[in-house]
């Protein structure tokens, strides 16, 4: 089977899965996809739908937007600093999952405090914010 042009999505998913300390089977179960299908995604043989990416993001506790960007579905949104804070936090391999969640909670609370409720909910992955 020829590899599809899905960017670095498979490599990115594998890296995120390993950082979350999940086996391929554990992530497949948590996301509700088959083990062989997830393996094919990680190897770049399959291009998952946006719905599958959302399920994988939820299981990995990262934003679906991050996976959409990796898959080429969305262009990465830029902020004044050039990269979204929550994306930077969630994709930082030097942070533990717990550290990522704490940083996101702090960031979200500051944004809410400053009147950016919809943006803060979106950073948390809340689909009702869009």
């Amino acid at each position: 089977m020829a590899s599809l042009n899905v960017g670095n999505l498979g490599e990115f998913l594998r890296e995120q899965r390993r950082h979350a300390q999940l086996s391929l089977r554990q992530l497949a179960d948590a996301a509700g996809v088959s083990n062989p299908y997830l393996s094919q995604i990680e190897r770049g043989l399959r291009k998952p739908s946006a719905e599958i990416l959302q399920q994988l993001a939820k299981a990995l506790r990262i934003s679906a937007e991050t996976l959409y960007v990796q898959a080429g579905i969305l262009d990465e949104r830029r902020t004044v600093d050039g990269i979204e804070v929550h994306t930077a936090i969630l994709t930082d391999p030097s942070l533990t999952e717990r550290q990522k969640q704490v940083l996101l909670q702090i960031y979200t609370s500051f944004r809410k405090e400053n009147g950016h409720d919809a943006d803060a909910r979106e950073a948390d992955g809340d689909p009702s914010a869009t």
Side-chain angles (χ1 to χ4, degrees), residues 27-48:
L27 177 57
D29 288 344
V33 299
S34 73
N35 190 41
Y37 182 63
L38 180 56
S39 175
Q40 290 174 345
I41 294 171
E42 282 193 359
R43 291 182 289 138
L45 301 174
R46 297 277 184 185
K47 184 174 182 178

Side-chain angles (χ1 to χ4, degrees), residues 7 18 31 40 45 56-57 73 77-78 101 111 113 121:
R18 288 180 178 158
Q40 290 174 345
L45 301 174
L56 289 167
I73 295 172
R77 291 188 299 171
R78 300 288 176 180
Q101 294 308 311
R111 290 195 53 85
E113 185 177 306
R121 287 193 316 269

